[in-house]
Amino acid sequence: MAVGRVWVAACACRRVLRRAFSLHKPHSITDMENTLQLVRNIIPPLTTKKHKGQDGRIGIVGGCQEYTGAPYFAAISALKVGADLSHVFCTREAAPVIKSYSPELIVHPVLDSPSAVRDVETWLPRLHALVVGPGLGRDNVLLENVKGILEASKARDVPIIIDADGLWLIAQHPALIHGYRKAVLTPNHGEFTRLSDAVLRDLVDGSDHREAVRRLSQALGNVTVVRKGERDVMSDGEHVLECAHEGSSRRCGGQGDLLSGALGVLVHWALHAGPKKTNGSSPLLLAALGACSLTRQCGHQAFQKHGRSTTTTDMIAEVGPAFRRLFET
Ligand SMILES: NC(=O)C1=CN([C@@H]2O[C@H](COP(=O)(O)OP(=O)(O)OC[C@H]3O[C@@H](n4cnc5c(N)ncnc54)[C@H](O)[C@@H]3O)[C@@H](O)[C@H]2O)[C@@H](O)CC1
Ligand SMILES: Nc1ncnc2c1ncn2[C@@H]1O[C@H](COP(=O)(O)OP(=O)(O)OP(=O)(O)O)[C@@H](O)[C@H]1O
Ligand SMILES: [Mg+2]
């Protein structure tokens, strides 16, 4: 009986997923199912043989006077997806606020310190991925420090996810990330337009999202770009994936922060899994597809329970069940 239920759930889920994902060039349904199977392949098994930290030590760079929610959402989402430790590097003022939201986060009040770059650099050897930008704000002192943190992270080959105000910085200084193949940018509509205006010389047909995303990725030296929206479109400049998995019609703030935190973990898992598990596909694209589908599934489940009052906190409560439904059935 239980086996039958599981089987039905798995089949239903596969049907949903078949509808929800498409590749740039015409590919068969089998290809799409294979792509999703690759996302499932990168998820590390839960065993008794591991030590704390092995499944992910993720850093979030963000959190300032105005914004404390965004880095919290990203950091707690990383933990809920399956990371073992989540660090937040924020300003001195923001730290006690973020700490008070959750005892599960490790919070470093360093981002506005004159020694910010050195302080974060000390932790870099212990981090598997860095998410830069949620709730960072646009203060010049902080942005200067983040420039140094990006350079130090690249020098150590740390995967970097750039979101929100981190993308504001990249639009001013695209060279900071140009050609770094372990970077993923996650712009929303406004952020995508700003980046395109900054780095593309020729106008792109705005209605062709796939081509626009591919072109932006190419112009940035093939960094992976994930354009969030009604459909999420992602590209490494060569391949284009699209995720239209059913989400919700609520557009409350913080959903992109959930996505960036989840992506931090999935990028680590995908890179760690190696080419055999990813079958030669881009690990960053697979991680992006996983994070987009998960965020949308969280929105869908939360909306079923809370309707119009759904907020990002309700979505975060759905990370566990959504993950199981998408990737473990
Ligand atoms: N609770 C919190 O602390 C939150 C803080 N946030 C932070 O707020 C800061 C600014 O982020 P924003 O996303 O507001 O960036 P922007 O300040 O660049 O957004 C500019 C404007 O674009 C608009 N916009 C966004 N998506 C659009 C779309 N699809 N079509 C048309 N207009 C659109 C927004 O409504 C906003 O008015 C970042 O640091 C971000 O991380 C957000 O992450 C939301 C939650
Ligand atoms: N019109 C839409 N319909 C369905 N899902 C959407 C729509 N717009 C965005 N999403 C989904 O919401 C999630 C967050 O995208 P969004 O564009 O809200 O990011 P954001 O503006 O950066 O969020 P944040 O408020 O955290 O900064 C993504 O998973 C995306 O797929
Ligand atoms: Mg955002």
Coordinates of all heavy atoms in Angstrom, one line a residue, residues 211-242:
E211 N 17.4 34.1 -25.6 CA 18.5 34.7 -26.3 C 19.1 35.8 -25.5 O 20.4 36.0 -25.4 CB 18.0 35.2 -27.7 CG 19.1 35.8 -28.6 CD 20.3 34.8 -28.9 OE1 20.2 33.6 -28.6 OE2 21.3 35.3 -29.4
A212 N 18.3 36.6 -24.8 CA 18.8 37.7 -23.9 C 19.7 37.1 -22.8 O 20.8 37.7 -22.5 CB 17.6 38.5 -23.4
V213 N 19.3 36.0 -22.2 CA 20.1 35.5 -21.1 C 21.4 34.9 -21.7 O 22.5 35.1 -21.1 CB 19.3 34.4 -20.3 CG1 20.1 33.7 -19.3 CG2 18.0 35.1 -19.7
R214 N 21.3 34.2 -22.8 CA 22.5 33.6 -23.4 C 23.5 34.7 -23.8 O 24.7 34.6 -23.5 CB 22.1 32.8 -24.6 CG 23.1 31.8 -25.1 CD 22.6 31.0 -26.3 NE 22.5 31.9 -27.5 CZ 23.5 32.4 -28.3 NH1 24.7 32.0 -28.0 NH2 23.2 33.2 -29.3
R215 N 23.0 35.7 -24.3 CA 23.9 36.8 -24.7 C 24.6 37.5 -23.5 O 25.7 37.8 -23.6 CB 23.1 37.9 -25.5 CG 22.6 37.5 -26.9 CD 23.6 38.0 -28.0 NE 24.0 39.3 -27.9 CZ 23.3 40.4 -28.4 NH1 22.1 40.1 -29.0 NH2 23.7 41.6 -28.3
L216 N 23.8 37.7 -22.5 CA 24.4 38.3 -21.3 C 25.5 37.4 -20.7 O 26.5 37.9 -20.3 CB 23.3 38.6 -20.2 CG 23.8 39.3 -18.9 CD1 24.5 40.6 -19.2 CD2 22.7 39.4 -17.9
S217 N 25.2 36.1 -20.6 CA 26.2 35.2 -20.1 C 27.4 35.2 -20.9 O 28.5 35.3 -20.4 CB 25.6 33.8 -20.1 OG 26.6 32.8 -19.9
Q218 N 27.3 35.2 -22.2 CA 28.4 35.3 -23.2 C 29.2 36.6 -22.9 O 30.5 36.6 -22.9 CB 28.0 35.2 -24.6 CG 27.8 33.8 -25.1 CD 27.4 33.7 -26.6 OE1 27.2 34.8 -27.2 NE2 27.4 32.5 -27.1
A219 N 28.5 37.7 -22.8 CA 29.2 39.0 -22.7 C 30.0 39.0 -21.4 O 30.9 39.8 -21.2 CB 28.2 40.1 -22.7
L220 N 29.5 38.2 -20.4 CA 30.2 38.2 -19.1 C 31.3 37.1 -19.0 O 31.7 36.7 -17.9 CB 29.2 38.1 -17.9 CG 28.3 39.3 -17.6 CD1 27.1 38.9 -16.8 CD2 29.2 40.4 -17.0
G221 N 31.6 36.6 -20.2 CA 32.6 35.5 -20.2 C 32.1 34.2 -19.8 O 32.8 33.4 -19.1
N222 N 30.8 33.9 -20.1 CA 30.2 32.6 -19.8 C 30.0 32.3 -18.4 O 30.0 31.1 -17.9 CB 31.0 31.5 -20.5 CG 30.9 31.5 -22.0 OD1 31.7 32.2 -22.6 ND2 29.9 30.9 -22.6
V223 N 29.8 33.3 -17.6 CA 29.3 33.1 -16.2 C 27.9 32.6 -16.3 O 27.2 33.0 -17.3 CB 29.4 34.3 -15.2 CG1 30.8 34.8 -15.1 CG2 28.5 35.4 -15.6
T224 N 27.4 31.8 -15.4 CA 26.0 31.3 -15.5 C 25.1 32.4 -15.0 O 25.3 33.0 -14.0 CB 25.9 30.0 -14.7 OG1 26.8 29.0 -15.2 CG2 24.5 29.5 -14.7
V225 N 24.1 32.6 -15.8 CA 23.1 33.7 -15.5 C 21.7 33.0 -15.3 O 21.3 32.2 -16.2 CB 23.0 34.8 -16.6 CG1 21.9 35.8 -16.3 CG2 24.4 35.5 -16.7
V226 N 21.0 33.3 -14.2 CA 19.7 32.8 -14.0 C 18.7 34.0 -13.9 O 18.8 34.8 -13.0 CB 19.6 32.1 -12.6 CG1 18.2 31.5 -12.4 CG2 20.6 30.9 -12.6
R227 N 17.9 34.2 -14.9 CA 17.0 35.3 -14.9 C 15.6 34.8 -14.3 O 15.0 34.0 -14.9 CB 16.7 35.8 -16.4 CG 15.7 36.9 -16.4 CD 15.4 37.3 -17.9 NE 14.5 38.4 -17.9 CZ 14.5 39.3 -18.9 NH1 15.2 39.1 -19.9 NH2 13.6 40.3 -18.8
K228 N 15.3 35.4 -13.2 CA 14.1 35.0 -12.5 C 12.9 35.7 -13.0 O 13.0 36.8 -13.5 CB 14.2 35.3 -11.0 CG 15.4 34.6 -10.3 CD 15.6 35.1 -8.9 CE 16.1 36.5 -8.8 NZ 16.5 36.9 -7.4
G229 N 11.7 35.0 -13.0 CA 10.5 35.7 -13.5 C 9.4 34.7 -13.6 O 9.4 33.6 -13.0
E230 N 8.4 35.0 -14.5 CA 7.3 34.1 -14.7 C 7.8 32.7 -15.1 O 7.3 31.7 -14.7 CB 6.4 34.7 -15.8 CG 5.1 34.0 -15.9 CD 4.2 34.6 -16.9 OE1 4.5 35.8 -17.3 OE2 3.1 34.0 -17.2
R231 N 8.8 32.7 -15.9 CA 9.6 31.5 -16.2 C 11.1 31.9 -15.8 O 11.5 33.0 -16.1 CB 9.6 31.2 -17.7 CG 8.3 30.6 -18.2 CD 8.2 30.7 -19.7 NE 7.1 30.0 -20.2 CZ 7.1 28.7 -20.5 NH1 8.3 28.1 -20.6 NH2 6.0 28.1 -20.9
D232 N 11.8 30.9 -15.2 CA 13.2 31.2 -14.9 C 14.0 30.7 -16.1 O 13.8 29.6 -16.5 CB 13.6 30.5 -13.6 CG 12.8 31.0 -12.4 OD1 12.5 32.2 -12.3 OD2 12.5 30.1 -11.5
V233 N 14.9 31.6 -16.6 CA 15.7 31.2 -17.8 C 17.1 31.2 -17.4 O 17.6 32.2 -16.8 CB 15.4 32.1 -19.0 CG1 16.2 31.7 -20.2 CG2 13.9 32.2 -19.3
M234 N 17.9 30.2 -17.7 CA 19.3 30.1 -17.2 C 20.2 29.7 -18.3 O 19.8 28.8 -19.1 CB 19.4 29.3 -16.0 CG 18.9 27.8 -16.1 SD 18.1 27.2 -14.6 CE 16.4 27.8 -14.8
S235 N 21.4 30.2 -18.4 CA 22.3 29.9 -19.4 C 23.8 30.1 -19.0 O 24.1 30.9 -18.2 CB 22.0 30.8 -20.7 OG 23.0 30.5 -21.7
D236 N 24.6 29.2 -19.6 CA 26.1 29.4 -19.4 C 26.7 30.0 -20.7 O 27.9 29.8 -20.9 CB 26.7 28.1 -19.0 CG 26.5 27.0 -20.1 OD1 25.8 27.3 -21.1 OD2 27.0 25.9 -19.9
G237 N 25.8 30.6 -21.5 CA 26.3 31.2 -22.8 C 26.3 30.2 -23.9 O 26.4 30.6 -25.1
E238 N 26.1 28.9 -23.6 CA 26.1 27.9 -24.6 C 24.7 27.2 -24.5 O 23.9 27.3 -25.5 CB 27.2 26.9 -24.3 CG 27.6 26.1 -25.5 CD 28.7 25.1 -25.2 OE1 29.5 25.4 -24.2 OE2 28.7 24.0 -25.8
H239 N 24.4 26.6 -23.4 CA 23.1 25.9 -23.2 C 22.2 26.8 -22.5 O 22.6 27.7 -21.7 CB 23.3 24.6 -22.4 CG 24.3 23.7 -23.1 ND1 25.6 23.6 -22.6 CD2 24.2 22.9 -24.1 CE1 26.2 22.7 -23.4 NE2 25.4 22.3 -24.3
V240 N 20.9 26.6 -22.8 CA 19.8 27.4 -22.1 C 18.8 26.4 -21.5 O 18.3 25.5 -22.2 CB 19.1 28.4 -23.1 CG1 18.1 29.2 -22.4 CG2 20.1 29.3 -23.8
L241 N 18.5 26.6 -20.3 CA 17.5 25.8 -19.6 C 16.4 26.8 -19.2 O 16.6 27.9 -18.9 CB 18.0 25.1 -18.4 CG 19.0 24.0 -18.6 CD1 19.4 23.4 -17.2 CD2 18.5 22.9 -19.5
E242 N 15.2 26.2 -19.1 CA 14.1 27.1 -18.6 C 13.3 26.3 -17.6 O 13.1 25.1 -17.7 CB 13.2 27.3 -19.9 CG 12.2 28.5 -19.7 CD 11.5 28.8 -21.0 OE1 12.2 28.9 -22.1 OE2 10.3 28.8 -21.0

